[in-house]
Amino acid sequence: EAAVTQSPRNKVTVTGGNVTLSCRQTNSHNYMYWYRQDTGHGLRLIHYSYGAGNLQIGDVPDGYKATRTTQEDFFLLLELASPSQTSLYFCASSVDRLSNERLFFGHGTKLSVL
Amino acid sequence: DAKTTQPDSMESTEGETVHLPCSHATISGNEYIYWYRQVPLQGPEYVTHGLQQNTTNSMAFLAIASDRKSSTLILPHVSLRDAAVYHCILRDNYGNEKITFGAGTKLTIKP
């Protein structure tokens, strides 16, 4: 079973703070994704990547940067955190973009911006 | 725009068979239908997927309408552990990596 590990599990910061969320997958998956989940909105795609050094814009990218440093590691950066970014963040990976390849999700990071 | 439509919530009782509907009226020929389940404070977990034929695995049975405009996830003999939010999504292989999840159906199981 593919494993996706997120850290930290919980994070509290203040408005204007700098936050980095980490995601690692050890299954040589090409695609990695960052989602946020808020009540009533389901999961919304922030950024995704199909390999080291690649970055693609998702549906709700404003206020977020991301970087894929290696095949395994995908980071989400909030350089000036705002209360509206308080949310539950999930990282996911998949082997490829083919339609018959499923997503594997991490356990999530709960971020609170005060 | 949401590509799938699901009821916000459903309720069942332990031991019953649950039918979770999903409407995808604008589905295109290259799109697969995926189902994921999610319990609180955890990421979604894959349940099943299909293109045109009904599929079955240890977790569920997926019934796909002949016109592919709707599908039903069937959970036999549910237990309390089946309580979760069930997401129905579409995924194609024509370069669209933007996989979108809606709010899903919250399934409550009564003892």
Side-chain angles (χ1 to χ4, degrees):
Chain A
E1 183 78 356
V4 179
T5 304
Q6 292 184 235
S7 61
R9 293 295 300 271
N10 291 280
K11 177 73 177 178
V12 179
T13 189
V14 296
T15 299
N18 194 322
V19 176
T20 297
L21 306 184
S22 302
C23 178
R24 165 165 281 206
Q25 54 90 10
T26 55
N27 296 282
S28 301
H29 287 177
N30 293 315
Y31 281 81
M32 297 185 75
Y33 308 80
W34 276 109
Y35 288 88
R36 62 176 288 174
Q37 185 171 37
D38 307 288
T39 302
H41 286 279
L43 284 88
R44 292 184 287 177
L45 182 63
I46 305 171
H47 290 296
Y48 62 101
S49 165
Y50 55 74
N54 175 265
L55 181 65
Q56 302 294 317
I57 304 295
D59 295 319
V60 289
D62 293 346
Y64 301 95
K65 292 184 179 180
T67 180
R68 181 90 175 267
T69 54
T70 64
Q71 179 83 350
E72 295 78 20
D73 298 301
F74 195 30
F75 300 94
L76 186 67
L77 299 90
L78 292 75
E79 295 182 333
L80 288 172
S82 72
S84 64
Q85 294 176 308
T86 292
S87 187
L88 186 56
Y89 292 85
F90 288 103
C91 176
S93 72
S94 66
V95 172
D96 207 331
R97 68 184 187 194
L98 295 178
S99 56
N100 60 348
E101 293 291 347
R102 59 177 168 137
L103 296 171
F104 294 87
F105 283 85
H107 285 282
T109 294
K110 185 177 181 182
L111 175 66
S112 298
V113 183
L114 305 178
Chain B
D1 291 338
K3 299 185 71 175
T4 63
T5 302
Q6 299 177 255
D8 292 337
S9 62
M10 292 183 66
E11 189 175 272
S12 184
T13 303
E14 278 193 295
E16 292 185 341
T17 295
V18 173
H19 292 74
L20 298 172
C22 182
S23 173
H24 25 82
T26 59
I27 190 171
S28 59
N30 60 298
E31 288 183 308
Y32 279 72
I33 302 155
Y34 274 79
W35 284 82
Y36 288 80
R37 53 180 277 164
Q38 185 180 17
V39 297
L41 302 180
Q42 290 191 27
E45 174 192 28
Y46 168 84
V47 176
T48 189
H49 75 284
L51 181 64
Q52 193 160 11
Q53 304 299 318
N54 296 339
T55 63
T56 187
N57 62 21
S58 60
M59 295 180 73
F61 179 83
L62 176 60
I64 301 173
S66 57
D67 63 4
R68 300 202 335 117
K69 293 185 177 181
S70 66
S71 61
T72 302
L73 185 71
I74 301 171
L75 306 175
H77 311 299
V78 294
S79 70
L80 296 177
R81 291 175 297 177
D82 293 312
V85 175
Y86 287 80
H87 300 276
C88 168
I89 67 167
L90 304 180
R91 187 173 187 188
D92 68 43
N93 61 352
Y94 283 174
N96 181 15
E97 299 93 345
K98 289 188 177 181
I99 305 163
T100 302
F101 285 72
T105 297
K106 183 177 182 180
L107 176 63
T108 301
I109 306 296
K110 297 182 295 182

